[in-house]
Amino acid sequence: MTMDTNNFLPVENHPWEPFMPQGAKVLIMGTFPPGAHRWSMDFYYPNPTNDFWRIMGLLFLGDKNALYIPEEKRFDLDAITRLMTERHIALSDTVRKARRLKGNASDKFLEVVEPVPLAALLASMPECHAVATTGEKASEVLASITETDAPGMGRHVVADDGLEIWRMPSTSRAYPLAVEKKAAYYEAMFRHLGIL
C-alpha cells in the first residue's frame, strides 16, 4: 500500500478577497499567488517580475512602467486599484485553497484543493459577462468549473449561460513572450469588451 505524501503538505488559503469594483465588466483570473516572500505588495500579481501590471500600464497609460515604482522595487497599489476601478476590471484567482507540491510558485506543481466559487462571485457582479484567465493552468481550472472547453490563446468560448470565457497568455516571465506581444492579446480582448 502506497501513501500519498501530498496529504502531508500544508494547504494554503488564498490571501486576498476578490477585487470587485462597481460595474465590473470583466473578471481576470490567475491561478494562485506566489509565496509571500515574492510579493512587492499585498494584492494580485504582486511579484515585481510578473508582467501583468506592465501590460495594464502599457494598454491604459501608454507606459509599461507607469504602475511601477523602480526606486522602491514595487508596484503602486493605489494607482492600480484606481485604474482597475475606473476601467471596471475585477480580479480574482481560480483557486481558493492549494498545495505547493514543490514549494514554489509554478502552476505545474500546484494541487487545486478548492476552486473559487465562481457562480457566487459572478452573482455579485451583475454587469460582468466575461472572464479571462492569465495562463494555461487557470484556463484548465476555469474550464472544469464552467464545464466548458478551454479556449485557444487569445480566443474565447461562450458558456451555456452566455458567459464569455477568454484565455490570455501567462504574465509570468517564465512564459517566453515579449511584454508587448502579450499586451496585444489583452488589447484585442479589451477592445472586444468595450473596455479600451
Side-chain angles (χ1 to χ4, degrees):
M1 184 169 131
T2 59
M3 195 183 300
D4 185 358
T5 55
N6 289 353
N7 288 333
F8 295 104
L9 293 169
V11 172
E12 289 184 46
N13 292 309
H14 198 288
W16 308 303
E17 289 299 313
F19 177 76
M20 300 183 293
Q22 193 163 1
K25 293 179 183 175
V26 63
L27 172 62
I28 297 182
M29 307 183 85
T31 309
F32 199 77
H37 65 288
R38 299 223 181 257
W39 300 359
S40 72
M41 63 176 175
D42 199 8
F43 196 65
Y44 292 90
Y45 305 98
N47 190 331
T49 64
N50 190 289
D51 282 330
F52 186 82
W53 298 116
R54 289 178 180 85
I55 291 168
M56 297 302 112
L58 190 60
L59 294 180
F60 296 116
L61 303 168
D63 176 3
K64 68 181 179 184
N65 293 312
L67 299 168
Y68 188 65
I69 303 170
E71 59 275 12
E72 297 178 28
K73 295 187 173 138
R74 68 175 180 87
F75 294 108
D76 185 339
L77 181 54
D78 289 339
I80 281 169
T81 54
R82 200 164 47 245
L83 178 65
M84 295 296 96
T85 300
E86 287 168 2
R87 295 295 179 153
H88 308 289
I89 297 171
L91 299 164
S92 179
D93 282 322
T94 54
V95 178
R96 294 310 297 163
K97 294 183 179 184
R99 282 191 186 97
R100 297 183 201 275
L101 305 183
K102 301 282 185 185
N104 61 26
S106 173
D107 280 356
K108 193 172 168 185
F109 302 112
L110 191 75
E111 177 191 342
V112 177
V113 175
E114 182 185 309
V116 71
L118 183 66
L121 207 54
L122 291 172
S124 63
M125 295 186 289
E127 294 171 54
C128 182
H129 303 292
V131 175
T133 56
T134 60
E136 185 175 9
K137 177 87 171 194
S139 184
E140 290 169 2
V141 174
L142 191 62
S144 72
I145 294 170
T146 58
E147 300 179 346
T148 57
D149 292 327
M153 185 74 70
R155 299 190 178 280
H156 72 280
V157 296
V158 180
D160 289 343
D161 61 1
L163 181 71
E164 287 187 15
I165 300 168
W166 291 77
R167 180 179 166 198
M168 296 289 104
S170 170
T171 57
S172 167
R173 289 279 171 91
Y175 186 72
L177 192 65
V179 66
E180 292 80 8
K181 290 187 176 174
K182 290 180 184 182
Y185 284 99
Y186 287 82
E187 180 180 9
M189 176 189 69
F190 287 140
R191 289 197 185 285
H192 172 87
L193 297 174
I195 291 169
L196 250 179

